[in-house]
Amino acid sequence: MNKPYYPTLEAKASEKGITKKSIAETLKVTQKTLSCKFSGKYDFGLREAKKIHDVFFPDIPFLELFRHE
């Protein structure tokens, strides 16, 4: 299995029970598009990343949440 491109984002979503479906709905994108963003195939736009942070993970530093490998 591939390592997550955004390991903190993936881990924190899992810990909090936040589904990719709910993130996709919040961003108004398809689940397929969101999966491509989570895998690093597509980039998150700044507005998308900020919305994910503000809505779901306001307690986690922004740069930590979107650190990628």
Side-chain angles (χ1 to χ4, degrees):
M1 180 147 87
N2 293 336
K3 288 173 59 174
Y5 191 74
Y6 296 103
T8 304
L9 178 59
E10 296 255 4
K12 296 300 180 183
S14 180
E15 286 173 20
K16 291 186 169 196
I18 297 168
T19 64
K20 288 182 181 175
K21 180 179 179 182
S22 66
I23 295 173
E25 288 172 351
T26 298
L27 297 179
K28 297 182 170 80
V29 299
T30 66
Q31 287 184 29
K32 182 175 182 175
T33 296
L34 187 70
S35 289
C36 288
K37 290 174 186 265
F38 263 77
S39 72
K41 185 174 181 180
Y42 303 155
D43 292 327
F44 281 106
L46 182 58
R47 286 187 177 127
E48 291 173 323
K50 183 163 176 15
K51 191 167 203 174
I52 291 169
H53 175 264
D54 293 350
V55 171
F56 297 104
F57 309 101
D59 55 320
I60 301 168
F62 182 84
L63 293 178
E64 178 184 333
L65 186 65
F66 287 95
R67 175 183 56 82
H68 65 85
E69 299 184 3

